[in-house]
Amino acid sequence: MNSPSLRAIDPHATEADDDQGVPVSVKIRERLKAAQRRFHANDNIAEFIEPGELEKLLDEVQGKMSAVLSSLVIDTESDHNTQDTARRVAKMYLNEIFKGRYHAAPPVTEFPNAERLNELMIVGPITVRSACSHHLCPIIGRVWIGIMPNEHSNLIGLSKYARLIDWVMSRPQIQEEAVTQVADLLQSRMSPDGLAVVMEADHFCMHWRGVKDMDSKMINSVMRGSFLKDPNLRREFLSLVNHKKG
């Protein structure tokens, strides 16, 4: 049986009073559920975080991380190396390596294709950094983007590709889903005739643990529009990418 809210007991109580003691993560989660929005590891939830809540979430994660260190039997009180580790890890997760979950997309200026460019454009390699959602181990790699614009396409500045891709990759990811998210984002921003994404990455869940194989890489691709339909265009793109790899 659910406990009555404070306002049910005292009609004059405010919503802020009713929320006292409720972890901020619970409030954010309830908003997501009420909106029937997914909040998987690689989803962005920034629009459901209200002003000031990210700082409170940082405090909450710090507390939970302190409990993890305690359960690992690490003496964070007398060990000078780990006294501030919980805070450092919380800041790293929320503001750096997983910032793509908690922060809105970076602003990107889009330009009309005034010159009606319709030739193959390739951007890359762009360095990507992420963490696998299975073990939270690093994923480090490179991405190449192929664009076939049309007269109605929007064009974006070269550095903006890196910013958008970093926003997608700064979440717990698996590579197969990450390349699709990158492709979906660029397709929605640019509306080109063709789009290709190739990612090559090292997975430290294989290097650092498990089989500890230092040489394995994962390479996968997404082809859309003319890259999917035109084998000659696809071969040209992949040939140029492989040349740059060499």
Side-chain angles (χ1 to χ4, degrees):
M1 180 176 175
N2 294 330
S3 299
S5 68
L6 180 59
R7 278 177 291 172
I9 300 171
D10 179 3
H12 300 291
T14 65
E15 184 175 353
D17 293 329
D18 203 16
D19 283 346
Q20 283 185 352
V22 178
V24 67
S25 63
V26 173
K27 298 177 186 178
I28 297 168
R29 188 179 294 111
E30 290 306 313
R31 288 184 208 125
L32 287 156
K33 289 181 176 179
Q36 297 184 327
R37 284 286 296 273
R38 200 181 79 164
F39 49 101
H40 289 184
N42 61 356
D43 289 328
N44 178 271
I45 60 171
E47 65 181 288
F48 295 92
I49 300 175
E50 296 183 354
E53 287 188 335
L54 201 55
E55 291 76 12
K56 294 178 181 178
L57 192 59
L58 180 61
D59 292 336
E60 183 180 335
V61 174
Q62 177 184 348
K64 298 291 179 64
M65 185 54 60
S66 294
V68 169
L69 293 172
S70 178
S71 293
L72 290 171
V73 199
I74 295 175
D75 182 359
T76 57
E77 293 183 8
S78 62
D79 180 0
H80 63 280
N81 289 316
T82 59
Q83 283 176 352
D84 297 318
T85 293
R87 186 70 177 181
R88 285 192 292 262
V89 171
K91 291 172 66 175
M92 178 184 70
Y93 280 155
L94 293 179
N95 296 329
E96 295 181 87
I97 61 175
F98 297 158
K99 66 183 178 183
R101 298 197 77 236
Y102 307 104
H103 296 267
V108 173
T109 303
E110 300 169 4
F111 306 94
N113 186 4
E115 298 298 323
R116 299 188 176 185
L117 303 174
N118 63 352
E119 300 293 336
L120 172 62
M121 304 187 320
I122 298 178
V123 180
I126 296 170
T127 300
V128 294
R129 301 170 184 85
S130 189
C132 77
S133 48
H134 296 157
H135 296 94
L136 301 186
C137 287
I139 298 172
I140 309 291
R142 300 180 294 173
V143 168
W144 291 262
I145 307 294
I147 302 288
M148 275 296 294
N150 59 54
E151 61 181 301
H152 304 295
S153 296
N154 293 322
L155 305 179
I156 63 176
L158 189 61
S159 66
K160 303 306 185 289
Y161 289 94
R163 292 183 187 278
L164 289 172
I165 290 170
D166 180 64
W167 181 66
V168 170
M169 296 304 297
S170 294
R171 310 169 192 178
Q173 286 281 11
I174 64 169
Q175 187 172 331
E176 303 93 311
E177 294 177 357
V179 290
T180 300
Q181 286 189 324
V182 168
D184 289 344
L185 179 59
L186 293 176
Q187 184 73 41
S188 67
R189 292 275 185 158
M190 304 181 70
S191 300
D193 279 345
L195 175 67
V197 181
V198 170
M199 184 182 299
E200 174 187 85
D202 292 292
H203 290 247
F204 282 69
C205 56
M206 287 188 66
H207 295 351
W208 198 15
R209 56 161 301 281
V211 296
K212 297 183 180 178
D213 184 342
M214 296 299 294
D215 297 321
S216 294
K217 295 180 183 292
M218 183 175 185
I219 303 173
N220 59 341
S221 66
V222 172
M223 304 287 169
R224 302 270 175 87
S226 54
F227 285 96
L228 189 62
K229 298 174 183 176
D230 185 344
N232 292 324
L233 177 63
R234 186 164 62 250
R235 276 195 294 270
E236 179 184 1
F237 168 71
L238 293 174
S239 174
L240 291 169
V241 166
N242 287 328
H243 175 71
K244 293 295 290 183
K245 284 183 184 180

